[in-house]
Amino acid sequence: MKKDALEAQIEKIADLIIQSGSIIVFTGAGISTESGIPDFRSPGGVWTKFDPREFTYQRFVGDIEVRRKAWQFFRAIPWTEVKPNRAHFAVVELEKMGKVDCIITQNIDGLHQMAGNTATRVIELHGTTRFVHCLKCGKRWPRDEIEQWLDQGIEVPMCDDCGGIMKSATISFGQSMPLEETREAEQRSRQCDLCIVIGSSLVVYPAAHMPVYAVQSGAKLVIINRDPTPLDSAASVVVNAGAGETMVKVLEIVKAKAASIRN
Ligand code: NAD
């Protein structure tokens, strides 16, 4: 995209934000690549060593060898060391301006909360890697605690209360979506007046229904993603550029325009 055209698109996003009273921010793996977590579809990284499709819920539950490999995968990304980046912080700024109804994320990295978004405003559709839970009794542990078990040589942790199978609190392929989160995300998507997608290929369903619900209910759609998505034709603005640099510029313009409106 040419520089002038890009700047015009970014200004359009800022205008939509200023005009909007209730924004949904919908995020995917692309918002976190600048934090060092590779996305699925770009080449290289951890996903070339581990194929998450191998770890379907059914295979995980049914085969101890799959669980052994899944626990290696659990540690393949240093989740506790990753830090939010400027795109996450821009979303926090938007929340502070009172613009954000909620953040609906497909990410399991917890970086929106770490950046400073209110935890109750973050809807995690695919769970979180920050916790581990027992599939039988529901007991929950912080990730750090289970990392210590793994450090001590336990390869396939089992619940210390009931002996049940333990699993990271993420939603695997073949596993049902969390009911409450999915329902709330749908309801809020249908009520917003602007949906901003940041860093998602929008091909993973049912999560990718959320921006569709927003558009169907009359909301405007903005897509900030390095590559084209299947929903581009429904969007008022599409920016094919990095999430961090784009959000920083969007925020600068929003702040400048908001200040000039006040004066
Ligand atoms: P995806 O991998 O399908 O798509 C990511 C999109 O982000 C791509 O289209 C890519 O062009 C774009 N992108 C990458 N870096 C970008 C950047 N810096 N700026 C702007 N755009 C960028 O991701 P998805 O749509 O979220 O779906 C994949 C699934 O994988 C999700 O369900 C998610 O749970 C899981 N996942 C999560 C993480 C995480 O938590 N950080 C990481 C990898 C995968």
Side-chain angles (χ1 to χ4, degrees):
M1 196 182 271
K2 286 215 176 93
K3 195 167 169 257
D4 288 353
L6 180 65
E7 277 169 13
Q9 295 298 76
I10 287 176
E11 179 150 6
K12 228 163 136 187
I13 299 177
D15 286 336
L16 286 171
I17 290 173
I18 288 168
Q19 288 153 16
S20 163
S22 175
I23 299 174
I24 296 277
V25 179
F26 179 88
T27 63
I31 195 173
S32 296
T33 53
E34 217 178 287
S35 295
I37 308 170
D39 61 8
F40 266 163
R41 284 165 183 83
S42 307
V46 63
W47 312 112
T48 53
K49 287 185 222 127
F50 294 94
D51 180 354
R53 284 164 299 191
E54 233 182 89
F55 309 122
T56 61
Y57 184 73
Q58 292 69 18
R59 294 196 69 215
F60 181 91
V61 172
D63 185 343
I64 190 166
E65 286 314 317
V66 173
R67 289 208 289 284
R68 199 183 310 279
K69 191 151 183 210
W71 285 107
Q72 291 166 11
F73 172 55
F74 178 78
R75 309 198 79 181
I77 293 175
W79 295 102
T80 42
E81 287 162 31
V82 289
K83 300 274 181 293
N85 66 59
R86 52 198 177 151
H88 296 103
F89 290 121
V91 177
V92 174
E93 292 279 311
L94 285 181
E95 184 190 327
K96 283 186 187 152
M97 289 175 191
K99 289 285 181 183
V100 176
D101 176 61
C102 70
I103 297 122
I104 301 173
T105 189
Q106 300 171 87
N107 293 344
I108 53 176
D109 55 33
L111 290 182
H112 287 297
Q113 297 91 322
M114 199 187 275
N117 280 117
T118 310
T120 49
R121 285 191 194 269
V122 181
I123 303 176
E124 294 174 313
L125 288 180
H126 294 166
T128 175
T129 186
R130 305 264 161 193
F131 288 91
V132 170
H133 61 177
C134 170
L135 297 179
K136 194 168 165 197
C137 71
K139 184 171 175 182
R140 218 168 143 87
W141 300 259
R143 175 190 183 90
D144 300 3
E145 209 174 311
I146 303 311
E147 287 203 352
Q148 284 170 24
W149 294 19
L150 299 171
D151 284 343
Q152 287 157 15
I154 297 173
E155 291 184 352
V156 183
M158 301 296 280
C159 178
D160 54 2
D161 269 1
C162 75
I165 292 176
M166 287 166 61
K167 183 181 175 301
S168 78
T170 50
I171 304 297
S172 303
F173 285 95
Q175 191 172 4
S176 325
M177 297 281 285
L179 259 185
E180 206 178 301
E181 283 84 350
T182 308
R183 203 177 296 136
E184 192 180 351
E186 173 174 350
Q187 193 185 24
R188 286 172 180 263
S189 298
R190 290 191 186 282
Q191 285 167 358
C192 71
D193 55 21
L194 175 64
C195 173
I196 305 178
V197 172
I198 309 176
S200 174
S201 58
L202 296 178
V203 297
V204 179
Y205 282 89
H209 280 308
M210 302 307 160
V212 176
Y213 294 141
V215 172
Q216 283 173 346
S217 309
K220 295 266 192 323
L221 177 65
V222 164
I223 299 178
I224 301 166
N225 197 55
R226 238 167 20 198
D227 295 301
T229 80
L231 270 189
D232 287 0
S233 60
S236 302
V237 189
V238 176
V239 170
N240 292 135
E245 52 177 321
T246 307
M247 285 306 293
V248 165
K249 286 182 198 152
V250 165
L251 207 72
E252 259 172 35
I253 301 177
V254 169
K255 280 183 177 166
K257 289 197 177 210
S260 75
I261 292 169
R262 274 198 305 273
N263 296 330

Coordinates of all heavy atoms in Angstrom, one line a residue, residues 27-34 37-42 47 79 106-109 126 199-204 224-228 241-244, ligand 1:
T27 N -9.0 -9.9 18.5 CA -7.5 -10.1 18.2 C -7.2 -11.6 18.0 O -7.9 -12.5 18.5 CB -6.7 -9.6 19.4 OG1 -7.0 -10.3 20.6 CG2 -6.8 -8.1 19.6
G28 N -6.1 -11.7 17.2 CA -5.6 -13.1 16.9 C -4.1 -13.1 17.1 O -3.5 -12.1 17.5
A29 N -3.5 -14.2 16.7 CA -2.1 -14.4 16.9 C -1.2 -13.3 16.4 O -0.1 -13.0 16.9 CB -1.7 -15.7 16.3
G30 N -1.7 -12.6 15.3 CA -0.9 -11.5 14.7 C -0.6 -10.3 15.6 O 0.4 -9.6 15.4
I31 N -1.4 -10.1 16.6 CA -1.1 -9.0 17.5 C 0.0 -9.3 18.4 O 0.7 -8.4 19.0 CB -2.4 -8.6 18.4 CG1 -2.1 -7.2 19.0 CG2 -2.7 -9.6 19.4 CD1 -3.3 -6.6 19.7
S32 N 0.3 -10.6 18.6 CA 1.4 -11.0 19.5 C 2.7 -11.4 18.8 O 3.7 -11.8 19.5 CB 0.9 -12.2 20.4 OG -0.2 -11.7 21.2
T33 N 2.8 -11.4 17.5 CA 4.0 -11.8 16.8 C 5.2 -10.8 17.2 O 6.3 -11.3 17.4 CB 3.9 -11.9 15.3 OG1 3.4 -10.7 14.8 CG2 3.0 -13.0 14.9
E34 N 4.8 -9.6 17.4 CA 5.8 -8.6 17.8 C 6.4 -8.8 19.2 O 7.4 -8.3 19.6 CB 5.3 -7.2 17.7 CG 6.3 -6.1 17.2 CD 5.7 -4.7 17.0 OE1 4.9 -4.5 16.1 OE2 6.0 -3.9 17.8
I37 N 5.9 -14.3 19.8 CA 5.1 -15.5 19.7 C 4.7 -15.7 18.3 O 3.9 -14.9 17.7 CB 3.8 -15.5 20.6 CG1 4.2 -15.1 22.0 CG2 3.2 -16.8 20.6 CD1 3.0 -14.8 22.9
P38 N 5.2 -16.7 17.6 CA 4.9 -16.9 16.2 C 3.4 -17.2 16.0 O 2.8 -17.9 16.9 CB 5.8 -18.1 15.7 CG 6.4 -18.6 16.9 CD 6.1 -17.8 18.1
D39 N 2.8 -16.7 14.9 CA 1.4 -17.1 14.6 C 1.5 -18.5 13.9 O 2.5 -19.1 13.6 CB 0.7 -16.1 13.8 CG 1.3 -15.8 12.5 OD1 2.3 -16.5 12.1 OD2 0.9 -14.8 11.8
F40 N 0.3 -19.0 13.6 CA 0.2 -20.3 13.0 C 0.7 -20.3 11.5 O 1.3 -21.2 11.1 CB -1.3 -20.7 12.9 CG -1.7 -21.6 14.1 CD1 -3.0 -21.7 14.3 CD2 -0.8 -22.2 14.8 CE1 -3.5 -22.5 15.4 CE2 -1.2 -23.0 15.9 CZ -2.5 -23.1 16.2
R41 N 0.2 -19.3 10.8 CA 0.2 -19.4 9.4 C 1.5 -18.8 8.7 O 1.8 -19.1 7.6 CB -1.1 -18.8 8.8 CG -2.2 -19.9 9.0 CD -3.5 -19.4 8.7 NE -4.5 -20.4 9.1 CZ -4.9 -20.7 10.3 NH1 -4.5 -20.0 11.3 NH2 -5.8 -21.7 10.4
S42 N 2.2 -18.0 9.5 CA 3.5 -17.5 8.9 C 4.5 -18.6 9.1 O 4.4 -19.4 10.0 CB 3.9 -16.2 9.6 OG 2.8 -15.3 9.6
W47 N 5.7 -23.9 15.4 CA 4.6 -24.7 14.7 C 5.2 -25.6 13.7 O 4.5 -26.5 13.2 CB 3.6 -23.8 14.1 CG 3.1 -22.7 15.1 CD1 3.3 -21.4 15.0 CD2 2.4 -22.9 16.3 NE1 2.8 -20.7 16.0 CE2 2.2 -21.6 16.9 CE3 1.9 -24.0 17.0 CZ2 1.6 -21.4 18.1 CZ3 1.2 -23.8 18.2 CH2 1.1 -22.5 18.7
W79 N 6.1 -18.9 27.5 CA 5.0 -18.0 27.7 C 5.1 -17.0 28.9 O 4.6 -15.9 28.8 CB 3.7 -18.9 28.0 CG 3.3 -19.7 26.8 CD1 3.5 -21.1 26.7 CD2 2.6 -19.3 25.6 NE1 3.0 -21.5 25.5 CE2 2.5 -20.5 24.8 CE3 2.1 -18.1 25.2 CZ2 1.8 -20.4 23.6 CZ3 1.5 -18.1 24.0 CH2 1.3 -19.2 23.2
Q106 N -8.6 -14.6 20.4 CA -8.4 -16.0 20.2 C -7.1 -16.4 20.8 O -6.8 -17.6 20.8 CB -8.3 -16.2 18.6 CG -9.5 -15.8 17.9 CD -9.2 -15.9 16.4 OE1 -9.3 -16.9 15.7 NE2 -8.7 -14.8 15.8
N107 N -6.4 -15.4 21.3 CA -5.0 -15.7 21.9 C -5.1 -16.4 23.2 O -6.0 -16.1 24.0 CB -4.2 -14.5 21.9 CG -3.9 -14.0 20.5 OD1 -4.0 -14.8 19.6 ND2 -3.4 -12.8 20.4
I108 N -4.1 -17.2 23.5 CA -4.0 -17.9 24.8 C -2.9 -17.4 25.6 O -2.5 -18.0 26.6 CB -3.8 -19.4 24.5 CG1 -2.6 -19.6 23.6 CG2 -5.1 -20.0 23.8 CD1 -2.3 -21.1 23.3
D109 N -2.3 -16.2 25.2 CA -1.1 -15.7 25.8 C -1.3 -14.8 27.0 O -0.3 -14.5 27.7 CB -0.2 -15.1 24.8 CG -0.9 -13.9 24.0 OD1 -1.8 -13.2 24.6 OD2 -0.6 -13.8 22.8
H126 N -10.4 -19.0 23.3 CA -9.6 -20.3 23.2 C -8.9 -20.6 24.5 O -7.9 -21.4 24.5 CB -8.7 -20.2 22.0 CG -9.4 -20.2 20.7 ND1 -8.8 -19.8 19.5 CD2 -10.7 -20.4 20.4 CE1 -9.7 -19.9 18.5 NE2 -10.9 -20.2 19.0
G199 N -4.8 -8.5 13.7 CA -3.9 -9.7 13.6 C -4.6 -11.0 13.6 O -4.2 -11.9 14.4
S200 N -5.6 -11.2 12.8 CA -6.3 -12.5 12.7 C -6.5 -12.8 11.2 O -6.9 -11.9 10.4 CB -7.6 -12.5 13.4 OG -8.2 -13.7 13.2
S201 N -6.2 -14.0 10.9 CA -6.5 -14.5 9.5 C -8.0 -14.6 9.2 O -8.5 -14.8 8.1 CB -5.8 -15.8 9.2 OG -6.3 -16.8 10.2
L202 N -8.8 -14.6 10.3 CA -10.3 -14.8 10.3 C -10.7 -16.0 9.5 O -11.7 -16.0 8.8 CB -10.9 -13.5 9.7 CG -10.7 -12.2 10.5 CD1 -11.4 -11.0 9.8 CD2 -11.4 -12.4 11.9
V203 N -9.9 -17.1 9.7 CA -10.4 -18.4 9.1 C -10.7 -19.4 10.2 O -11.0 -20.5 9.8 CB -9.3 -18.9 8.1 CG1 -9.1 -18.0 7.0 CG2 -8.0 -19.2 8.8
V204 N -10.4 -19.1 11.5 CA -10.7 -20.1 12.5 C -12.1 -19.8 13.1 O -12.3 -18.8 13.7 CB -9.6 -20.0 13.6 CG1 -9.9 -21.0 14.8 CG2 -8.2 -20.2 13.1
I224 N -7.1 -4.8 10.7 CA -5.6 -4.5 10.6 C -4.9 -5.8 10.6 O -4.9 -6.5 11.7 CB -5.2 -3.6 11.8 CG1 -6.0 -2.3 11.8 CG2 -3.7 -3.3 11.8 CD1 -5.9 -1.5 13.1
N225 N -4.4 -6.2 9.5 CA -3.8 -7.6 9.4 C -2.8 -7.5 8.3 O -3.0 -6.9 7.2 CB -4.9 -8.6 9.1 CG -4.4 -10.0 9.4 OD1 -3.9 -10.3 10.6 ND2 -4.4 -10.9 8.5
R226 N -1.6 -8.2 8.5 CA -0.6 -8.1 7.4 C -1.1 -8.7 6.1 O -0.8 -8.2 5.1 CB 0.6 -8.9 7.9 CG 1.8 -8.0 7.9 CD 3.0 -8.5 8.6 NE 3.1 -9.9 8.9 CZ 3.9 -10.4 9.8 NH1 4.7 -9.6 10.5 NH2 4.0 -11.7 10.0
D227 N -1.9 -9.8 6.2 CA -2.4 -10.4 5.0 C -3.9 -10.2 4.8 O -4.6 -10.0 5.8 CB -2.1 -11.9 5.0 CG -0.6 -12.2 5.1 OD1 0.1 -11.8 4.1 OD2 -0.1 -12.8 6.1
P228 N -4.4 -10.4 3.6 CA -5.8 -10.3 3.3 C -6.6 -11.3 4.1 O -6.0 -12.4 4.4 CB -6.0 -10.5 1.8 CG -4.6 -10.3 1.2 CD -3.6 -10.6 2.3
A241 N -0.8 -4.1 7.2 CA 0.5 -3.6 7.8 C 0.6 -4.2 9.2 O -0.3 -4.8 9.7 CB 0.5 -2.1 7.8
G242 N 1.7 -3.9 9.8 CA 2.0 -4.4 11.1 C 1.0 -3.8 12.2 O 0.7 -2.7 12.1
A243 N 0.6 -4.7 13.1 CA -0.3 -4.2 14.1 C 0.3 -3.1 15.0 O -0.4 -2.1 15.3 CB -0.7 -5.4 15.0
G244 N 1.5 -3.3 15.4 CA 2.1 -2.3 16.3 C 2.2 -0.9 15.7 O 1.7 0.1 16.2
Ligands
NAD1 P1 -3.4 -17.0 12.4 O1 -2.1 -17.5 12.6 O2 -4.4 -17.8 11.6 O3 -3.3 -15.6 11.6 C1 -2.6 -14.6 12.1 C2 -2.7 -13.4 11.1 O4 -1.9 -12.3 11.7 C3 -2.1 -13.7 9.8 O5 -3.1 -13.5 8.8 C4 -0.9 -12.7 9.6 O6 -0.9 -12.1 8.4 C5 -1.2 -11.7 10.7 N1 0.0 -11.1 11.3 C6 1.1 -11.7 11.8 N2 1.9 -10.8 12.4 C7 1.3 -9.6 12.3 C8 1.6 -8.3 12.7 N3 2.8 -8.1 13.4 N4 0.8 -7.3 12.4 C9 -0.4 -7.5 11.7 N5 -0.7 -8.8 11.3 C10 0.1 -9.8 11.6 O7 -4.0 -16.6 13.8 P2 -5.5 -16.5 14.3 O8 -6.4 -15.9 13.3 O9 -5.4 -16.0 15.7 O10 -5.9 -18.1 14.5 C11 -4.9 -19.0 14.9 C12 -5.2 -19.8 16.2 O11 -4.0 -20.1 16.8 C13 -6.0 -19.0 17.2 O12 -7.1 -19.8 17.5 C14 -5.1 -18.9 18.5 O13 -5.8 -19.5 19.6 C15 -3.9 -19.7 18.2 N6 -2.6 -19.1 18.5 C16 -2.5 -18.2 19.5 C17 -1.3 -17.6 19.7 C18 -1.2 -16.6 20.8 O14 -1.9 -16.8 21.8 N7 -0.3 -15.6 20.7 C19 -0.2 -17.8 18.8 C20 -0.4 -18.7 17.8 C21 -1.6 -19.4 17.6

